[in-house]
Amino acid sequence: QVSQYFINKRFYDFSLKALKASRQSSKTLDQHALELANVYRFLGRKTEMIEEYLLFARQRPNNLNYIKNIFQSLLKEEKDIITLQSILIEKIQKEPNEIMFAELLIWVNLQQKNFYGAFVQARSLDKRFNQDGKNVIEIGRIALQNKSYDNAIKIYQYVIDNSKNQNYYHLARRQVIFAREEKLKNIFPLDHDALKQLTVDYQLLIDELGQNQYTLGAYRNKAFLHAFYLDEKDTAVYILNKIIDTPRVSNDLKSECKLDLGDIYLLTGEGWEATLLYSQVEKANKDSKLGYSAKLKNARLNYFKGEFELAKSHLDILKLATTREIANDALSLSILIQNNTVFDTSDFVMKEYASIELLLFQNKKKQALMQFAGMLENYPNHSLADEIYWQMAAINLEQGNFEVALSQLNEITSKHSTDILGDDAMFLTARV
């Protein structure tokens, strides 16, 4: 009570003395840890503040998440994070069997997106407490989710080489191939030989482990590569139908495979077959992420066909979807349609643009580039000009034509800098 009185009067030094006197009197080293941490915070004494918060975290396991939230809000500067790391490393060295400090250090590294540092700590825990890859595989998942592909590959390989847990081994075997796949998809120009090798690796995985919950997902990844990167659509269709017909396959995986099949039918120009599959998935998965994905694919199909009002009716629903990614995609397509049809009642130019986007979806890049160039020649001042330059730049980046891509991005930044894509073009120019 005395301490709180001094805090209210902003006499923080006196508050500190009162709490320390109470701790000394009680002979309990962690007495008033939270209160002392708050006083040190008022005084700007970060090191002592961190020490007291760590004392509080040790009092009971439930306190740890609270302390993580506190650190996340209070330790904004790099020097403060370094101080926390130094304190944790020192405590780990003094008390190697106290798992809380190691877990907190892993969390700090993850907050900084230092995935390798988090892996080193998780690996140490894994060996010391015989966790058999439990923490390590979670670090791999987070690294992959954050597109840190090289770190994800190293982490999953560690689990493959060291884990005796069959589930973790199976998962890591699949995920290390998937991490390599995602890395290859983001390096331009695409290395088709390396992508082909991935299909071989997926098949080896399936042959080794048989058909189970891990390998059926890998089988679907293999089909995706055949369809969208290697132009082997018949192989992809065969694989996807085989997964769909597998007994006891999960509803989610079956629905995902149907969506992939719909996309393949769209690749081959069979729009009616595509919309049938999308609608099946939408009906079977109402008010779920898969159902929303199916509705978005149907909306995009209507857009490709030039049926903009029908597309917008789907998109208006999806803009309220609970999944942020789907809602953002729906909003983006809706804005594209709205901005470029409002002054063009015939929708003629927008329909031409949408038909070229279908060519892009079908991986007919050379044809799409030629038709985009024709649109710029025929409609140089149309509101779609920045979108066209953006699409052309993206194609040229994929093909490794960096100078050409930069010149097209420059058209956006110099002539359309205040349009929606102006900032994106500036950012991508810096990356290139």
Side-chain angles (χ1 to χ4, degrees):
Q1 288 178 335
V2 169
S3 169
Q4 189 58 49
Y5 173 83
F6 284 133
I7 286 174
N8 293 339
K9 298 292 185 181
R10 299 187 179 181
F11 295 153
Y12 302 125
D13 287 325
F14 286 106
S15 175
L16 184 63
K17 288 179 180 178
L19 290 171
K20 282 186 170 182
S22 178
R23 175 180 282 182
Q24 186 175 2
S25 176
S26 69
K27 296 183 173 60
T28 307
L29 292 179
D30 60 0
Q31 182 87 345
H32 308 308
L34 188 60
E35 291 83 356
L36 276 163
N38 287 330
V39 175
Y40 282 126
R41 175 163 63 91
F42 291 135
L43 290 168
R45 292 164 62 175
K46 295 285 180 69
T47 301
E48 292 96 329
M49 177 193 80
I50 290 169
E51 291 279 4
E52 293 297 335
Y53 277 135
L54 291 176
L55 273 178
F56 179 70
R58 291 189 69 170
Q59 289 173 0
R60 59 180 66 90
N62 291 340
N63 290 349
L64 187 57
N65 284 333
Y66 173 75
I67 294 306
K68 286 178 181 178
N69 291 333
I70 289 287
F71 285 155
Q72 201 165 28
S73 62
L74 294 182
L75 305 179
K76 300 288 188 183
E77 297 181 22
E78 186 177 355
K79 64 179 182 180
D80 296 334
I81 298 295
I82 292 172
T83 300
L84 173 58
Q85 287 177 317
S86 299
I87 291 171
L88 288 171
I89 291 169
E90 186 179 335
K91 289 187 178 298
I92 290 168
Q93 291 170 344
K94 288 181 178 178
E95 301 178 65
N97 291 323
E98 177 52 71
I99 196 170
M100 183 198 80
F101 298 130
E103 288 182 343
L104 199 51
L105 187 55
I106 291 171
W107 175 81
V108 173
N109 281 311
L110 289 177
Q111 297 305 300
Q112 295 179 289
K113 298 191 183 299
N114 179 10
F115 302 111
Y116 189 76
F119 163 58
V120 169
Q121 290 302 319
R123 183 179 61 190
S124 177
L125 273 184
D126 187 62
K127 291 177 178 177
R128 193 181 308 146
F129 296 101
N130 296 316
Q131 294 178 328
D132 215 14
K134 180 182 176 182
N135 277 326
V136 176
I137 206 145
E138 176 63 12
I139 307 300
R141 183 191 68 79
I142 297 170
L144 182 55
Q145 192 176 50
N146 284 271
K147 302 180 181 180
S148 183
Y149 302 122
D150 288 334
N151 282 317
I153 291 166
K154 288 176 188 173
I155 293 166
Y156 286 128
Q157 192 60 52
Y158 168 83
V159 176
I160 292 167
D161 294 339
N162 294 278
S163 179
K164 295 180 179 64
N165 183 298
Q166 192 176 36
N167 289 334
Y168 295 151
Y169 173 80
H170 288 183
L171 181 58
R173 284 278 283 112
R174 174 192 167 184
Q175 290 301 94
V176 75
I177 304 172
F178 181 65
R180 285 167 47 212
E181 176 186 335
E182 290 300 297
K183 180 182 176 181
L184 283 172
K185 287 177 184 176
N186 287 278
I187 298 174
F188 302 114
L190 293 170
D191 186 340
H192 288 87
D193 289 338
L195 289 166
K196 184 77 174 176
Q197 181 59 46
L198 286 176
T199 65
V200 175
D201 293 340
Y202 275 130
Q203 189 60 54
L204 289 171
L205 172 69
I206 294 160
D207 293 342
E208 178 190 341
L209 304 181
Q211 288 194 7
N212 56 48
Q213 58 179 324
Y214 302 106
T215 57
L216 282 178
Y219 211 20
R220 178 191 169 220
N221 291 351
K222 182 177 187 289
F224 189 88
L225 289 171
H226 284 298
F228 292 92
Y229 289 89
L230 302 173
D231 197 24
E232 297 169 352
K233 301 178 186 66
D234 290 342
T235 303
V237 169
Y238 170 79
I239 292 171
L240 292 169
N241 279 320
K242 192 173 179 182
I243 297 171
I244 291 168
D245 294 336
T246 299
R248 295 186 297 279
V249 64
S250 71
N251 177 66
D252 282 359
L253 183 56
K254 183 182 287 190
S255 294
E256 287 166 347
C257 288
K258 284 186 175 183
L259 291 179
D260 292 344
L261 269 178
D263 289 345
I264 294 171
Y265 284 129
L266 197 51
L267 285 177
T268 57
E270 300 172 79
W272 177 247
E273 296 293 336
T275 196
L276 280 177
L277 285 164
Y278 295 155
S279 299
Q280 281 179 22
V281 175
E282 186 181 342
K283 186 177 180 181
N285 299 275
K286 288 183 177 178
D287 300 323
S288 73
K289 183 178 179 180
L290 277 169
Y292 292 138
S293 293
K295 186 181 283 291
L296 181 61
K297 286 179 181 290
N298 256 329
R300 189 171 282 120
L301 177 55
N302 291 320
Y303 162 73
F304 288 149
K305 291 158 62 178
E307 298 172 354
F308 300 130
E309 288 303 317
L310 185 55
K312 284 184 67 179
S313 68
H314 288 298
L315 296 170
D316 287 342
I317 296 170
L318 288 169
K319 284 189 287 187
L320 304 175
T322 54
T323 307
R324 183 189 301 175
E325 183 181 356
I326 291 173
N328 288 345
D329 287 346
L331 181 61
S332 178
L333 184 54
S334 180
I335 290 172
L336 176 68
I337 295 170
Q338 178 66 32
N339 287 353
N340 295 289
T341 58
V342 66
F343 298 117
D344 185 0
T345 54
S346 68
D347 295 339
F348 178 78
V349 180
M350 190 68 206
K351 286 179 180 178
E352 185 175 346
Y353 177 84
S355 69
I356 303 174
E357 279 219 274
L358 177 56
L359 291 177
L360 280 179
F361 183 84
Q362 294 170 335
N363 212 27
K364 298 175 181 178
K365 304 288 176 65
K366 186 176 180 180
Q367 191 177 342
L369 271 176
M370 291 174 60
Q371 293 195 24
F372 276 139
M375 284 193 72
L376 287 174
E377 188 176 338
N378 295 330
Y379 322 109
N381 299 315
H382 196 276
S383 56
L384 277 166
D386 59 329
E387 298 281 351
I388 295 170
Y389 279 121
W390 178 262
Q391 295 281 18
M392 294 176 77
I395 297 169
N396 279 303
L397 282 176
E398 285 188 22
Q399 296 177 345
N401 303 323
F402 301 115
E403 293 301 325
V404 177
L406 283 170
S407 69
Q408 288 158 345
L409 291 170
N410 184 57
E411 289 289 333
I412 301 173
T413 55
S414 61
K415 298 178 182 177
H416 307 276
S417 59
T418 59
D419 289 343
I420 290 175
L421 291 171
D423 291 340
D424 293 332
M426 181 71 75
F427 183 75
L428 187 54
T429 298
R431 287 189 63 187
V432 176

